[in-house]
Amino acid sequence: MLDDLALFVAIVEAGSLRAAALGAGLPAAKVTRRLQALEASLGCRLLHRSARRLLPTPEGLQYYEQCRPLLQALQQTTQSLDANLNQLRGTVRVLAPINLANGPLREMWSQFLLRHPEIHLELQLSNLTEDLLGNAADLAIRAGTLNDSSFGQRRLGAVQNVLVAAPNYLAQKPALKSPDDFGQHAFIINEPVTQWRLTHRSSGAEVKFVPPGHFRVNETQLAVHMACSGIGLIYCPLTQVAAELQAGRLVEALPEWAGELRVISAVWPHSRSMPARVRALLDHLIACTAAHPLLNAQD
């Protein structure tokens, strides 16, 4: 009925059925049938029609005057929505893990804003899995396996977990040759990772271990600092300790055992059309993670 209402307004403003039909790109006969159907549904005649003139009836004039502003408002709203979806401006709200967003992805945020100055970026950082819909977020970065098919998903890369410790810590403790020796060691728990998964590089043997925490924290940079101080073993993403390993402040504690590979993904609400500004950020994320060697670990 909305299309027929818009057609009726166009007929009144054009002054004739033929002119309205030309403007709408429709056959004149079809325009006449739709007008008649609208009049039938309303139960009144909207137009006086003759061979030379077309004028609104009193009911038709009242209907026109009341409906025309509504159609204009709807058109403006539609245009505004279209601009919101298709222009590179507005706010993008993102959920992301603290140590990933403030670690290997740190430079990416400023690069994006410099490239798109009319986009406003809001980051909500947490190492917990925050509710994407409840936080009205446009995009979230997740680490680990994704099981919820109600969200759109795109793999960004993968990060290797490593088991490391300070050289002075290992020198003072009993020899660590396999996970069987864990009982004689102290552990730093880097939440939310509370289970360590290790796979022997040669045999493929797998060990899952839930360590008792000598020190427990939900912020990786502090956990790494404690490991460098000789407090204990830490199991964390390679991205967080690459500099310490290169400088010798940390070393791999069990080089023959590989840590778990954690997939990094972008997720977004399936039910929404993705605005251009969100698509621009997703494309930027894909490009930046593809170019980062520590975010492209292989099985």
Side-chain angles (χ1 to χ4, degrees):
M1 185 175 179
L2 187 60
D3 288 342
D4 291 336
L5 172 57
L7 184 59
F8 166 68
V9 170
I11 293 170
V12 173
E13 294 180 344
S16 74
L17 290 172
R18 183 177 298 274
L22 288 172
L26 296 171
K30 185 171 184 178
V31 171
T32 300
R33 287 196 300 271
R34 286 176 55 179
L35 175 61
Q36 291 170 343
L38 179 61
E39 290 177 326
S41 68
L42 294 173
C44 66
R45 194 171 182 85
L46 297 174
L47 295 171
H48 291 301
R49 298 186 287 280
S50 68
R52 296 185 177 182
R53 302 187 65 187
L54 183 149
L55 293 173
T57 64
E59 294 80 11
L61 183 61
Q62 180 184 4
Y63 195 56
Y64 167 78
E65 290 176 343
Q66 291 179 350
C67 293
R68 185 173 181 271
L70 298 177
L71 286 172
Q72 289 177 331
L74 178 60
Q75 184 180 26
Q76 290 172 354
T77 300
T78 301
Q79 290 172 345
S80 176
L81 179 60
D82 182 66
N84 183 58
L85 287 173
N86 296 303
Q87 295 187 22
L88 293 174
R89 63 164 58 111
T91 300
V92 180
R93 185 171 177 81
V94 182
L95 308 180
I98 297 172
N99 300 300
L100 186 60
N102 196 33
L105 297 181
R106 178 187 292 183
E107 299 302 322
M108 188 211 73
W109 310 114
S110 57
Q111 292 169 358
F112 178 76
L113 289 176
L114 289 171
R115 184 176 300 173
H116 301 289
E118 293 191 64
I119 295 179
H120 300 165
L121 194 57
E122 293 184 2
L123 298 183
Q124 181 172 320
L125 305 184
S126 173
N127 287 332
L128 301 176
T129 302
E130 299 285 350
D131 182 4
L132 183 62
L133 297 177
N135 284 281
D138 299 293
L139 201 65
I141 300 174
R142 302 280 196 233
T145 303
L146 300 177
N147 298 314
D148 194 339
S149 60
S150 63
F151 294 109
Q153 304 176 9
R154 172 62 189 257
R155 176 174 169 141
L156 299 175
V159 176
Q160 186 77 53
N161 280 315
V162 291
L163 180 66
V164 297
N168 63 339
Y169 167 84
L170 293 174
Q172 296 169 8
K173 291 288 184 177
L176 183 59
K177 297 180 180 179
S178 79
D180 293 335
D181 300 321
F182 278 159
Q184 304 177 74
H185 285 267
F187 308 98
I188 298 170
I189 310 302
N190 175 40
E191 293 182 341
V193 179
T194 56
Q195 177 178 266
W196 297 1
R197 180 177 172 182
L198 297 164
T199 303
H200 194 269
R201 298 183 189 276
S202 299
S203 67
E206 186 176 284
V207 171
K208 294 180 180 179
F209 177 63
V210 179
H214 184 61
F215 178 74
R216 182 184 293 262
V217 67
N218 66 345
E219 202 285 315
T220 305
Q221 290 183 0
L222 180 55
V224 171
H225 169 77
M226 297 296 281
C228 291
S229 300
I231 299 301
L233 300 167
I234 182 174
Y235 180 84
C236 67
L238 176 58
T239 52
Q240 301 299 318
V241 292
E244 285 74 15
L245 286 169
Q246 185 173 5
R249 293 188 292 273
L250 294 173
V251 296
E252 286 199 59
L254 286 173
E256 295 181 357
W257 292 77
E260 182 181 11
L261 194 71
R262 301 199 77 197
V263 172
I264 307 299
S265 304
V267 301
W268 59 89
H270 244 331
S271 58
R272 304 177 190 169
S273 297
M274 182 177 285
R277 62 185 182 276
V278 181
R279 169 57 63 183
L281 179 60
L282 178 59
D283 290 343
H284 185 66
L285 271 168
I286 292 169
C288 289
T289 51
H292 199 302
L294 295 180
L295 295 177
N296 289 276
Q298 301 295 322
D299 289 314

